[in-house]
Amino acid sequence: MIMEQANFRRLSTDSSEINEAASHLRRGGIVAFPTETVYGLGANAAKQAAVEALFALKQRPSDHPLIIHVSGLADASSWAKLNPLALRVIGALWPGPLSLILPRRPAIPMHALGAQKTVALRCPSHPVARALLSQFSAIGGKGVAAPSANPYGKLSPTDPDHVESDMRRMMYAHASRRLRLSDPKLPDCWMIDGGSSDAGIESTVLDLSTDEPRVLRPGVISREQLEAVLGMPIPLIKPQAIEAKTQKRSNLLLPKASGTLLSHYAPNKPLYVLDQSLLAPKLAELHQQGFRRLALWGVEAQSLDAYEFEISLGLGAVPDSPESMAQLLYRQLRSMDESEAEALIVVLPSPIDMLRDDKGWEAVIDRIERASYATKHGLINPKALAKSDPVGHDMALPADSDMIFEQFEQPLQSPQQTPQQSAPQQMLPAQEAADDLDFDMSFDDLGANP
Ligand code: TXA
Ligand code: MG
């Protein structure tokens, strides 16, 4: 039987190709693009078919809300009510690796929002992402829903070649599934090759939908930075807290969101993250279980003297700064996973309990604990090494009125309309509004991304 497959295209960062990509998005196509954190897989957040295709391609449950990427304050304020706290962090940290959860406006397209009353907004600082989003906005688009460009639950891609191979794999899997299921048809899927992502892990997700700000996903912007900007302590709502006995109650308080799942960002093979002191017994155990080929990061050669392991990949020392570790983390886990290894071992530079309590390391430890959660809790069979496809999910999305999204998709009424006019002025203290709403006009004056 012939598989009907959408076309893949790899674009350069020439402005003509970025403009083409913006038009492709606007029409309902899918475009992967670089951001300063990881690559995103973008779709027009106002187009139901495009968002459905995105969920289907990633095999992501349709009730997990996506982050809407916007070009600036005017587009942000068409999705959400920007409260004073939001304006303060936006002024200090946008464009940049920070996603804000805000109360959503009533009549907006809900396709990417997972039926939440809130919306996640992010204005990335990567020059290619900014060029793409500005052009998308200039041709009447309001926001690009963009999860990381990997199959659901897997490692986020930080390099263009990883994006291309993940996309081709997802497109192929989608085409095969469509022989059997009623998955939506895929539009053509493009990617912009903008080199490697800088930060290497995802944005921080800051919930500002209530008057008690909290971080739902630690990320590139640390809680210390957020606390300095907002002048108050900001708790981290750890996924562990969700899994405890209070799960049912917590579910009412927290949305279903992949960023809060215990197992996520995971390689396919078993991953053991260890303190140096636990390495010898773990090696003995793995050897006894019949493991023979390992990929190692942060393991000194002499630790292996007692065993006859074959080393499929040895990555040397683990960086001792969280920023460098974040930059390398997904890239290294991916190459370890793709090696001939039967299991992956990472030894951290200090005991994990110490690093866990260090706000600078919070995001890296969060990712590495989730990447190794399934192995640690025996949720994957360590000897089942087949690279499995992510499982299928119910893709039903609530039907939305076409009228709402057509209205929403209208290009800005007049070219003279300024961000001031389209923003919810009544919500802002006058002084703050005057300062902050200049945002779109003075992006570059806001300074470099931290
Ligand atoms: O760095 C990033 O944020 C990357 C790049 C591409 O921008 N994007 C990304 O998207 O990581 P994704 O879909 O993989 O993660 C989105 C996370 C969810 O896991 C969830 O935690 C949170 O954003 N989220 C989205 N909408 C939410 C909402 N309404 N309430 C709470 N959390 C939400
Ligand atoms: Mg993701």
Side-chain angles (χ1 to χ4, degrees):
M1 207 186 301
I2 297 168
M3 286 199 301
E4 198 192 341
Q5 228 186 303
N7 292 311
F8 176 83
R9 186 178 159 201
R10 185 158 167 160
L11 307 178
S12 75
T13 55
D14 287 355
S15 58
S16 62
E17 300 206 357
I18 291 179
N19 292 351
E20 266 191 85
S23 302
H24 184 55
L25 278 174
R26 181 77 209 275
R27 286 190 305 266
I30 285 179
V31 178
F33 59 96
T35 83
E36 68 279 22
T37 59
V38 299
Y39 269 73
L41 192 61
N44 185 343
K47 268 213 180 315
Q48 180 165 3
V51 175
E52 277 183 10
L54 188 62
F55 277 106
L57 184 63
K58 267 194 73 118
Q59 288 286 283
R60 173 161 164 144
S62 59
D63 56 356
H64 286 210
L66 301 174
I67 299 172
I68 314 262
H69 294 62
V70 292
S71 65
L73 195 67
D75 286 340
S77 73
S78 55
W79 293 94
K81 300 161 194 151
L82 304 178
N83 53 38
L85 285 182
L87 287 167
R88 200 178 316 153
V89 276
I90 285 173
L93 297 167
W94 270 15
L98 176 68
S99 301
L100 299 178
I101 309 295
L102 295 165
R104 66 171 175 81
R105 292 195 176 281
I108 57 170
M110 289 296 292
H111 322 301
L113 270 53
Q116 299 293 322
K117 293 203 168 67
T118 53
V119 56
L121 296 175
R122 160 154 142 75
C123 179
S125 62
H126 192 289
V128 173
R130 285 184 56 191
L132 178 69
L133 292 167
S134 304
Q135 176 64 14
F136 181 76
S137 180
I139 57 175
K142 293 291 187 201
V144 173
S148 47
N150 50 282
Y152 178 63
K154 298 297 170 190
L155 299 167
S156 306
T158 53
D159 294 292
D161 289 344
H162 300 162
V163 179
E164 177 166 349
S165 75
D166 276 0
M167 282 177 84
R168 287 188 182 279
R169 204 173 295 161
M170 289 188 283
M171 290 169 76
Y172 183 82
H174 180 88
S176 321
R177 275 194 310 272
R178 280 196 86 224
L179 296 176
R180 294 176 274 116
L181 300 174
S182 55
D183 270 356
K185 193 171 183 295
L186 275 194
D188 285 347
C189 299
W190 297 1
M191 71 165 278
I192 304 175
D193 175 351
S196 299
S197 289
D198 231 19
I201 58 169
E202 299 79 2
S203 64
T204 306
V205 176
L206 173 65
D207 182 0
L208 292 178
S209 65
T210 68
D211 45 18
E212 283 168 28
R214 54 192 184 157
V215 165
L216 301 183
R217 178 176 75 180
V220 180
I221 302 273
S222 71
R223 276 197 294 144
E224 270 159 354
Q225 283 171 281
L226 295 171
E227 286 170 348
V229 171
L230 289 177
M232 60 176 92
I234 301 178
L236 168 65
I237 305 299
K238 286 210 168 210
Q240 279 79 355
I242 304 171
E243 219 217 14
K245 289 172 205 141
T246 52
Q247 179 147 27
K248 274 212 181 113
R249 222 184 116 248
S250 303
N251 276 351
L252 299 174
L253 305 175
L254 283 174
K256 283 192 186 144
S258 358
T260 59
L261 297 179
L262 289 163
S263 176
H264 209 68
Y265 314 110
N268 291 305
K269 293 175 181 169
L271 166 66
Y272 299 93
V273 178
L274 304 167
D275 294 349
Q276 185 63 42
S277 61
L278 298 175
L279 179 61
K282 179 53 76 183
L283 289 173
E285 185 190 316
L286 291 179
H287 198 267
Q288 207 255 327
Q289 288 172 356
F291 285 90
R292 290 297 175 267
R293 277 194 311 279
L294 302 179
L296 306 171
W297 189 18
V299 176
E300 285 163 23
Q302 61 268 33
S303 321
L304 294 157
D305 286 351
Y307 310 94
E308 291 147 10
F309 283 116
E310 196 184 308
I311 308 307
S312 67
L313 186 66
L315 285 171
V318 166
D320 54 15
S321 89
E323 292 79 16
S324 316
M325 179 79 179
Q327 266 174 352
L328 290 176
L329 183 65
Y330 291 146
R331 196 168 297 143
Q332 305 290 57
L333 290 179
R334 192 177 277 258
S335 49
M336 292 164 83
D337 205 24
E338 284 170 358
S339 76
E340 295 296 309
E342 296 161 329
L344 327 179
I345 297 190
V346 179
V347 172
L348 294 171
S350 310
I352 195 161
D353 289 335
M354 259 173 65
L355 297 176
R356 205 184 280 119
D357 292 336
D358 181 333
K359 279 185 187 158
W361 278 89
E362 201 164 74
V364 166
I365 296 302
D366 170 80
R367 297 307 186 278
I368 210 161
E369 290 199 308
R370 287 194 234 184
S372 56
Y373 184 87
T375 306
K376 189 171 171 186
H377 292 84
L379 302 177
I380 52 172
N381 173 359
K383 296 298 280 178
L385 300 178
K387 291 198 171 186
S388 57
D389 258 1
V391 285
H393 300 281
D394 176 11
M395 299 315 305
L397 284 172
D400 260 285
S401 136
D402 281 354
M403 206 187 73
I404 290 178
F405 92 69
E406 273 160 21
Q407 269 176 3
F408 192 82
E409 277 246 290
Q410 292 290 321
L412 293 177
Q413 293 303 305
S414 81
Q416 288 88 350
Q417 189 181 24
T418 60
Q420 280 90 336
Q421 283 164 321
S422 61
Q425 294 207 15
Q426 70 282 9
M427 307 189 62
L428 314 174
Q431 194 59 50
E432 224 170 344
D435 293 339
D436 287 300
L437 289 174
D438 274 339
F439 185 76
D440 274 343
M441 288 173 279
S442 58
F443 248 173
D444 293 321
D445 305 335
L446 287 172
N449 192 33

